[in-house]
Amino acid sequence: YWFEGEMIGAKGISENHQRLKFFVDGAITASDQTIKVSEMEDFPGMSWAYDLANSRMTGTANLDKNLGGIGVKGSITCLVDGNGWYFQAGGLLNIPGLGGGNLFGLFGDYDNVPPTISSGFGAFKCIPSAFKTHISGFLLTAGVTKPIIDPIHIPLVLLSIDAGLDISLNARTYMSFDEGGDTYGIGVLAVGNAYFKGSSDLTCTSVGVAATAQFGIGGKYNTNGSYSVDGCASLSLGLYGEQCLGLMGLCCGECCLGVDVGEVTLGAKVHYDNSSGIDFSLTTTSCDEQCP
């Protein structure tokens, strides 16, 4: 069984390929106002449902692939209705030598950003403008965190020490369908986190220091000929302490007063574009807030 139809006004799809034909290898079922299709040849493992009342077609599939030695496991969602169309993918990465990571992908042309998509951005702050209020192009983000020094705990006679160090790498690439020309962008942010904490059961006191170093670089190019490159580096240091009631090892873990001495961030950022040249400045914000 097969069916076909026109993808009218679907931006990002070639005008010569807007008529799509689907071959069904699975089953077609109808219930109330919904038609469901499973196992289409064009999208192996994907099941589709057509909502007659809302003129909306949705598709879902599980993703379990090995791409060049990198394991990818997650899910894919597709939606087509009067507001446009999009494909969304999310899951986990297994990279040999580095461990696990996260993956989020989006491709389409849709009038708004449904909550099911915006929730997938998570803590990703650097959203291109083409994806803040609508979907227009493709966006791919991935992140990996690797412990360099596994959390350690050293118990001594009067003092115990805790420490750790990890490094994370976050990358994104995107293309947006803009009226003034398509925009291509790429960005990478590396983050190193280290902490050191000393605790005394004798006085029920603990003092710690945390440091975060970040380095980011990104660039974008528009088919109208404009381009820009942004880079930054930052270092943040924080000092904190905690005093609990008790003495000589008899400490009340729920009766503590925490003191955050504060955090200091120093950094530098550089910007270059083809119209105004290069600009360099010092800053007191971290790289992840600047979105290189």
Side-chain angles (χ1 to χ4, degrees):
Y1 177 80
W2 59 269
F3 64 92
E4 63 180 342
E6 298 283 350
M7 294 286 288
I8 301 175
K11 210 179 345 177
I13 299 179
S14 170
E15 294 294 333
N16 297 325
H17 297 85
Q18 286 194 340
R19 186 170 184 84
L20 300 182
K21 187 174 185 178
F22 301 96
F23 290 89
V24 181
D25 295 326
I28 299 177
T29 59
S31 175
D32 296 329
Q33 297 295 308
T34 302
I35 298 176
K36 296 183 178 179
V37 181
S38 63
E39 298 298 332
M40 287 197 301
E41 181 181 284
D42 311 73
F43 301 91
M46 179 168 278
S47 296
W48 295 80
Y50 185 75
D51 185 344
L52 296 175
N54 295 298
S55 300
R56 177 180 298 145
M57 185 169 68
T58 59
T60 58
N62 292 323
L63 183 64
D64 192 353
K65 297 286 185 180
N66 188 295
L67 304 176
I70 299 177
V72 182
K73 182 174 291 186
S75 61
I76 300 174
T77 301
C78 174
L79 184 144
V80 181
D81 63 16
N83 292 318
W85 61 277
Y86 66 79
F87 281 87
Q88 176 190 5
L92 300 175
L93 299 173
N94 186 8
I95 305 175
L98 290 179
N102 58 76
L103 173 70
F104 178 79
L106 182 62
F107 174 51
D109 180 54
Y110 204 74
D111 288 346
N112 56 68
V113 182
T116 53
I117 290 180
S118 59
S119 62
F121 291 141
F124 182 60
K125 301 175 182 178
C126 306
I127 306 297
S129 58
F131 299 90
K132 290 182 178 179
T133 59
H134 60 284
I135 302 169
S136 182
F138 77 80
L139 170 67
L140 181 65
T141 72
V144 177
T145 299
K146 176 71 174 180
I148 303 301
I149 299 178
D150 290 328
I152 59 175
H153 177 72
I154 304 176
L156 302 175
V157 177
L158 300 177
L159 184 70
S160 62
I161 297 174
D162 296 272
L165 171 65
D166 65 65
I167 294 179
S168 63
L169 184 66
N170 299 278
R172 76 176 188 273
T173 182
Y174 69 91
M175 183 190 78
S176 61
F177 309 135
D178 300 324
E179 294 183 0
D182 296 339
T183 300
Y184 300 82
I186 189 171
V188 177
L189 176 66
V191 180
N193 294 295
Y195 69 91
F196 180 89
K197 178 182 178 181
S199 303
S200 172
D201 289 338
L202 183 64
T203 60
C204 300
T205 305
S206 62
V207 178
V209 60
T212 299
Q214 298 184 349
F215 175 78
I217 186 170
K220 59 183 179 181
Y221 169 79
N222 191 286
T223 52
N224 64 14
S226 63
Y227 60 89
S228 65
V229 178
D230 290 275
C232 77
S234 65
L235 176 64
S236 301
L237 295 174
L239 181 65
Y240 59 91
E242 186 178 68
Q243 178 63 57
C244 300
L245 292 178
L247 201 62
M248 301 297 293
L250 300 176
C251 304
C252 176
E254 298 179 355
C255 313
C256 302
L257 174 64
V259 178
D260 190 350
V261 177
E263 183 179 86
V264 177
T265 300
L266 295 176
K269 61 181 180 179
V270 60
H271 171 84
Y272 176 82
D273 61 55
N274 61 312
S275 61
S276 58
I278 191 169
D279 178 69
F280 176 84
S281 62
L282 299 177
T283 180
T284 57
T285 58
S286 58
C287 285
D288 60 349
E289 296 291 343
Q290 300 173 35
C291 300

